[in-house]
C-alpha cells in the first residue's frame, strides 16, 4: 500500500513544476523516501501520528480530488504545496532525523 502511494506520487512529481513547492520540494522527496523506508521496514523511528500526517499529505498530493484541481494553470498545485508545507512544519524534526539517518546509511554502504 505505502509503496504504491510512493510510486504514484513519484510518477506525478515527474510531470510538474517543482518551483511551486519551493523549499518544501526537498521535504516532499524526503517524505516519499521515508514512506518507502518505513514500508520496507528499514526505518521505523517515527511516531504513528506523524507517519499518518505524512501519508495524508502524500495521499492528498496524488488525489485528483483537490480543493484546486491540478489542471488549473498556474495555481493547480498550490493547495498541494500548502498541505505539504503544513505537514512538513508539523513533522520537520522527524523528517530531519530521517534524513540524518539516511545520510549515515548511504555513507556506510
Amino acid at each position: 500500500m505505502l509503496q504504491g502511494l510512493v510510486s504514484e506520487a513519484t510518477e506525478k512529481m515527474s510531470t510538474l513544476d517543482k518551483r511551486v513547492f519551493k523549499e518544501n520540494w526537498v521535504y516532499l522527496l524526503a517524505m516519499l523516501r521515508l514512506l518507502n523506508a518505513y514500508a520496507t521496514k528499514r526505518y521505523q523511528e517515527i511516531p504513528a501520528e506523524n507517519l499518518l500526517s505524512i501519508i495524508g499529505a502524500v495521499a492528498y498530493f496524488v488525489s485528483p480530488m483537490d480543493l484546486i484541481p491540478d489542471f488549473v494553470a498556474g495555481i493547480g498545485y498550490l493547495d498541494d504545496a500548502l498541505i505539504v508545507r503544513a505537514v512538513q512544519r508539523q513533522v520537520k524534526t522527524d523528517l530531519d532525523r530521517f534524513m540524518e539517518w539516511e545520510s549515515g546509511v548511504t555513507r556506510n554502504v
Side-chain angles (χ1 to χ4, degrees):
M1 178 180 101
L2 282 181
Q3 290 174 316
L5 181 63
V6 170
S7 178
E8 198 173 338
T10 302
E11 185 176 316
K12 184 174 183 176
M13 289 171 75
S14 69
T15 67
L16 58 90
D17 183 357
K18 67 182 180 183
R19 292 177 293 182
V20 173
F21 289 83
K22 299 180 182 173
E23 69 276 355
N24 295 308
W25 184 256
V26 172
Y27 283 100
L28 178 56
L29 293 172
M31 288 178 191
L32 297 180
R33 292 191 315 271
L34 186 149
L35 290 179
N36 192 47
Y38 189 86
T40 58
K41 301 194 184 314
R42 291 179 296 129
Y43 186 83
Q44 304 285 298
E45 303 302 314
I46 183 166
E49 62 271 9
N50 289 352
L51 178 65
L52 290 174
S53 293
I54 291 170
I55 292 169
V58 174
Y60 186 88
F61 172 71
V62 300
S63 173
M65 304 302 293
D66 286 357
L67 187 60
I68 303 172
D70 293 341
F71 62 81
V72 176
I75 62 168
Y77 291 105
L78 183 59
D79 59 326
D80 300 83
L82 291 172
I83 295 292
V84 167
R85 180 179 181 200
V87 170
Q88 177 265 319
R89 286 182 171 183
Q90 175 190 344
V91 302
K92 184 178 185 318
T93 301
D94 286 307
L95 287 171
D96 288 340
R97 235 182 258 136
F98 168 72
M99 288 187 287
E100 196 174 300
W101 170 84
E102 191 176 42
S103 69
V105 167
T106 57
R107 272 193 306 250
N108 294 327
V109 172

